[in-house]
Amino acid sequence: AQSVTQPDIHITVSEGASLELRCNYSYGATPYLFWYVQSPGQGLQLLLKYFSGDTLVQGIKGFEAEFKRSQSSFNLRKPSVHWSDAAEYFCAVGATGNQFYFGTGTSLTVIP
Amino acid sequence: KAGVTQTPRYLIKTRGQQVTLSCSPISGHRSVSWYQQTPGQGLQFLFEYFSETQRNKGNFPGRFSGRQFSNSRSEMNVSTLELGDSALYLCASRPGQGARDTQYFGPGTRLTVL
């Protein structure tokens, strides 16, 4: 069965530090992978997506993610975190059958 | 283009009542999905509608239902509310039904059941 795991429930980083949020998926075929961000009281905003081709994808707000098939991972990274990046981040996989599967999210706190 | 809109944004109900939530997708999008979001549970898929037909359904009781109109607007209904139904209900639209079709989310409706 398809599933998405985000091992880190909560992460705290200092402003200006680098960030990596982990995402592992379980899916038999080539997955379509997404990262979303949710600010308090808001819906989910798409950060980036991976369908095929270059395994390093660039997104909005300076985020990037790398698809590693051998590790079934799609980790999100940012070289220098800003205080405005504090939010909840969700990894998702689009599967055949037209359904999306979401991880339980990682809450990011940024300290000055 | 205007984004996905959801009404109302906030709702307070009591146990046993029923509630209807509304979602207007992005213009041209024919697929609408509904999710329930609670702390610790993440997003739980409720159902998806495409061209007025329910195409997928999550593992929720029959108290949760929905429909889609010819203009792609969608409503979801929860009958006989329970305390555990308190959650943020998110609607997402996408152009088609493929797994590559990106979902765009509305701001959600915060439902509180007392």
Side-chain angles (χ1 to χ4, degrees):
Chain A
Q2 299 89 340
S3 67
V4 178
T5 302
Q6 293 180 246
D8 305 304
I9 296 174
H10 187 256
I11 283 182
T12 299
V13 299
S14 298
E15 191 168 15
S18 63
L19 171 71
E20 183 169 27
L21 301 182
R22 296 183 291 164
C23 172
N24 293 98
Y25 66 89
S26 173
Y27 185 62
T30 300
Y32 302 124
L33 297 161
F34 305 81
W35 273 100
Y36 286 87
V37 61
Q38 184 180 35
S39 298
Q42 301 296 315
L44 276 67
Q45 180 185 19
L46 179 70
L47 283 175
L48 47 79
K49 56 190 175 185
Y50 171 78
F51 294 157
S52 63
D54 192 349
T55 57
L56 185 63
V57 294
Q58 303 297 320
I60 63 171
K61 304 185 180 186
F63 285 93
E64 65 178 27
E66 186 171 14
F67 170 61
K68 292 185 177 179
R69 184 186 300 277
S70 61
Q71 298 176 20
S72 298
S73 69
F74 188 55
N75 294 348
L76 182 71
R77 301 194 294 249
K78 187 169 185 178
S80 178
V81 171
H82 188 262
W83 63 266
S84 60
D85 293 324
E88 185 129 22
Y89 292 80
F90 292 92
C91 180
V93 60
T96 54
N98 307 315
Q99 202 163 320
F100 281 75
Y101 297 87
F102 285 83
T104 51
T106 297
S107 178
L108 174 65
T109 296
V110 181
I111 55 177
Chain B
K1 276 186 181 177
V4 178
T5 59
Q6 293 186 245
T7 56
R9 291 293 310 275
Y10 302 92
L11 210 48
I12 299 176
K13 292 286 188 179
T14 56
R15 279 181 299 173
Q17 288 187 308
Q18 75 166 19
V19 67
T20 299
L21 312 181
S22 180
C23 171
S24 292
I26 292 172
S27 177
H29 286 193
R30 297 169 64 192
S31 167
V32 173
S33 296
W34 289 90
Y35 294 86
Q36 181 193 68
Q37 184 180 19
T38 53
Q41 293 292 317
L43 276 74
Q44 304 290 312
F45 173 74
L46 280 156
F47 29 65
E48 179 183 20
Y49 285 86
F50 182 81
S51 294
E52 301 178 66
T53 302
Q54 187 180 93
R55 300 302 178 114
N56 284 297
K57 190 176 190 306
N59 189 26
F60 277 82
R63 300 186 295 108
F64 292 81
S65 63
R67 59 177 176 168
Q68 186 181 34
F69 302 95
S70 58
N71 61 358
S72 294
R73 189 177 70 85
S74 177
E75 289 180 347
M76 68 163 281
N77 183 275
V78 188
S79 62
T80 319
L81 284 166
E82 301 177 359
L83 295 178
D85 296 333
S86 294
L88 180 67
Y89 289 88
L90 293 166
C91 164
S93 76
R94 52 181 172 151
Q97 269 205 296
R100 296 166 64 114
D101 284 334
T102 301
Q103 289 191 312
Y104 296 89
F105 284 82
T109 294
R110 172 75 62 184
L111 172 64
T112 301
V113 182
L114 303 177

